[in-house]
């Protein structure tokens, strides 16, 4: 398939700028691949599609406050610094994006906080906007990380053209987030409330947690018509044995195995045995899933509504079937479903 197969006209007013009032009361489109049917529900109705012994695979990564604002030495110019990943904890080296990038050169210093209590020096250029920073801070490592948290803000996506609110700090995070390291939320999981998870648990649904630290590379535009030439950025992935045991038990008992989100799907498809079961994994993955693709583990998935030409849309299209996905998206636009990070959800069975 080509990049142009994933183009569609998305009205800008359907890009969700705020989350639904209650997590589990966003809208839910249910797509049945075998029957080729589309139903319209609320997210909390998802419980009706799962039974005792079914498994949901969730990404328990936790978003850290990755967006900082500093001032350039001498000129005082305001610079946005987006923390991507820590390169060396001891030396406090970080891979970051800076904006505006043209003003930031090797050797420049940036000052953060009203009292300039945190300073960073630019030590390398990595891409047009990418830089390597060395943070200069006298305290312990834990104190340094606390300082980053104190000065940083929740990295809601740029399309949300407003100030970050205290509500974002809570809502741009799943309720089961545990392992800090993501710069973007695994958004399909944002729809789960504590009450809904408890009801699923009472019904006998099992949960298996994996950790994929979502990076900005997930949202990088695809700029080649031939999808086989697109390269995904690597993201850190951890899958533990206990999660594999839960999932593999459900597979052997022919139960429903549901991936919550494209990040969970990337995670499990990066660690498949020759017997099409899930293996433990600790490392990095740059797996890119697009049609046609033979999925090994999950037989259903929960996802949000994605933007045109995105790698997320390509994966969901591979899982759902391209023609049915196209029909579902036409229906979603007609019915005014909300798209993207704070948008509505889709269950594909």
């Amino acid at each position: 398939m080509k990049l142009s197969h994933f183009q569609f006209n998305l009205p800008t007013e359907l890009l969700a700028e705020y989350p639904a009032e209650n997590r589990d009361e966003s809208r839910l489109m249910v797509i049945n691949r075998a029957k080729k049917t589309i139903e319209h529900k609320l997210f909390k109705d998802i419980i009706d599609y799962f039974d005792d012994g079914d498994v949901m695979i969730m990404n328990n990564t936790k978003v850290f406050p990755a967006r900082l604002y500093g001032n350039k030495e001498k000129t005082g110019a305001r610079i946005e610094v987006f923390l991507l990943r820590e390169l060396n904890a001891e030396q406090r080296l970080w891979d970051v994006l800076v904006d505006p990038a043209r003003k930031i050169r090797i050797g420049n210093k940036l000052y953060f906080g009203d009292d300039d209590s945190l300073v960073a020096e630019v030590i390398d250029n990595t891409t047009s906007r990418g830089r390597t920073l060395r943070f200069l801070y006298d305290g312990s490592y834990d104190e340094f990380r606390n300082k980053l948290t104190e000065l940083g803000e929740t990295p809601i996506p740029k399309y949300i053209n407003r100030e970050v609110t205290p509500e974002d700090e809570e809502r741009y995070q799943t309720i089961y987030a545990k392992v800090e390291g993501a710069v973007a939320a695994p958004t399909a999981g944002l729809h789960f409330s504590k009450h809904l998870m408890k009801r699923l648990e009472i019904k006998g649904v099992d949960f298996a947690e994996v950790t994929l630290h979502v990076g900005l590379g997930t949202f990088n535009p695809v700029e080649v018509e031939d999808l086989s030439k697109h390269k995904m950025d690597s993201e850190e992935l951890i899958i533990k044995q206990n999660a594999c045991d839960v999932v593999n038990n459900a597979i052997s008992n022919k139960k429903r195995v549901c991936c919550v989100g494209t990040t969970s799907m990337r995670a499990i498809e990066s660690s498949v045995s020759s017997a099409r079961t899930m293996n433990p994994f600790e490392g990095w993955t740059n797996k890119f899933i697009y049609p046609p693709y033979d999925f090994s583990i999950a037989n259903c998935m929960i996802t949000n509504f994605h933007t045109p030409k995105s790698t997320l849309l390509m994966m969901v299209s591979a899982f759902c079937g391209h023609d049915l996905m196209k029909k579902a998206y036409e229906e979603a636009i007609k019915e005014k479903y909300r798209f993207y990070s704070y948008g509505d959800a889709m269950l594909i069975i």
Side-chain angles (χ1 to χ4, degrees):
M1 297 203 79
K2 305 290 185 187
L3 177 63
S4 49
H5 289 133
F6 299 93
Q7 171 60 3
F8 64 94
N9 292 321
L10 176 59
T12 51
E13 66 267 20
L14 297 186
L15 288 168
E17 296 229 339
Y18 291 90
E21 191 173 341
N22 297 308
R23 284 183 186 266
D24 58 14
E25 290 185 349
S26 54
R27 294 166 75 191
L28 177 72
M29 179 183 282
V30 182
I31 300 176
N32 186 308
R33 292 178 291 174
K35 297 177 182 174
K36 303 280 193 287
T37 56
I38 296 173
E39 296 178 282
H40 304 289
K41 304 279 187 177
L42 290 180
F43 191 81
K44 60 188 178 184
D45 298 328
I46 211 157
I47 194 164
D48 299 333
Y49 297 87
F50 293 90
D51 288 309
D52 185 35
D54 291 340
V55 171
M56 287 186 172
I57 303 169
M58 344 274 276
N59 183 4
N60 67 9
T61 189
K62 188 173 185 180
V63 179
F64 67 94
R67 190 175 278 130
L68 301 168
Y69 292 96
N71 298 100
K72 188 180 170 186
E73 63 177 337
K74 295 179 185 165
T75 67
R78 180 175 154 97
I79 306 293
E80 179 188 311
V81 173
F82 196 101
L83 302 173
L84 293 177
R85 60 174 67 100
E86 188 174 51
L87 300 173
N88 185 307
E90 197 177 326
Q91 296 181 39
R92 298 180 188 174
L93 295 181
W94 279 77
D95 194 8
V96 307
L97 296 176
V98 293
D99 188 24
R102 68 184 182 281
K103 296 184 175 182
I104 303 302
R105 298 183 175 88
I106 293 172
N108 286 161
K109 285 198 169 123
L110 300 171
Y111 294 85
F112 302 91
D114 293 338
D115 55 357
D116 295 340
S117 54
L118 183 63
V119 183
E121 182 180 7
V122 181
I123 63 167
D124 197 11
N125 293 335
T126 51
T127 62
S128 60
R129 286 184 58 217
R131 302 289 185 272
T132 302
L133 296 188
R134 176 185 285 118
F135 284 96
L136 312 170
Y137 188 75
D138 289 337
S140 68
Y141 179 73
D142 285 345
E143 287 169 335
F144 164 64
R145 287 305 299 254
N146 288 340
K147 178 59 74 172
L148 286 183
T149 300
E150 175 197 320
L151 295 174
E153 70 175 31
T154 302
I156 60 173
K158 282 280 193 184
Y159 83 87
I160 299 176
N161 192 18
R162 59 171 173 78
E163 293 291 313
V164 175
T165 67
E167 183 189 32
D168 292 313
E169 290 175 29
E170 181 206 345
R171 294 296 300 274
Y172 196 64
Q173 197 85 267
T174 64
I175 61 165
Y176 47 81
K178 292 186 181 73
V179 188
E180 192 170 87
V183 300
T187 53
L190 298 180
H191 304 283
F192 285 87
S193 64
K194 286 180 181 169
H195 179 64
L196 177 59
M197 287 191 74
K198 179 54 76 178
R199 288 177 65 212
L200 286 162
E201 203 179 300
I202 291 166
K203 203 170 179 184
V205 175
D206 290 319
F207 302 103
E209 293 186 359
V210 299
T211 306
L212 181 76
H213 291 316
V214 190
L216 286 185
T218 298
F219 309 105
N220 280 351
V222 179
E223 293 174 338
V224 285
E225 182 66 7
D226 179 354
L227 300 183
S228 66
K229 292 185 165 53
H230 177 70
K231 296 287 183 286
M232 294 285 282
D233 284 2
S234 291
E235 294 172 328
E236 191 176 4
L237 169 62
I238 302 155
I239 299 176
K240 296 193 171 163
Q241 184 65 55
N242 60 341
C244 298
D245 294 342
V246 170
V247 171
N248 294 338
N249 183 54
I251 292 171
S252 63
N253 289 320
K254 296 186 165 45
K255 295 292 185 180
R256 189 160 270 177
V257 177
C258 182
C259 247
V260 179
T262 55
T263 63
S264 299
M265 188 69 85
R266 276 187 80 209
I268 64 172
E269 287 295 323
S270 298
S271 186
V272 177
S273 74
S274 55
R276 296 170 78 87
T277 56
M278 197 162 96
N279 279 340
F281 187 97
E282 189 154 347
W284 296 74
T285 179
N286 63 351
K287 192 166 192 66
F288 176 31
I289 298 173
Y290 58 94
Y293 184 85
D294 182 20
F295 290 85
S296 299
I297 307 286
N299 49 31
C300 71
M301 83 178 289
I302 297 165
T303 188
N304 277 22
F305 288 90
H306 305 294
T307 49
K309 295 185 176 179
S310 62
T311 59
L312 310 175
L313 176 61
M314 291 165 194
M315 179 198 289
V316 175
S317 184
F319 189 80
C320 182
H322 188 67
D323 290 343
L324 185 55
M325 177 57 50
K326 208 171 165 189
K327 182 182 165 195
Y329 268 57
E330 285 167 3
E331 180 92 351
I333 290 167
K334 189 179 94 185
E335 295 293 328
K336 294 191 165 30
Y337 274 73
R338 300 160 78 242
F339 277 65
Y340 216 23
S341 300
Y342 276 151
D344 294 316
M346 173 187 282
L347 169 65
I348 306 168
I349 57 176

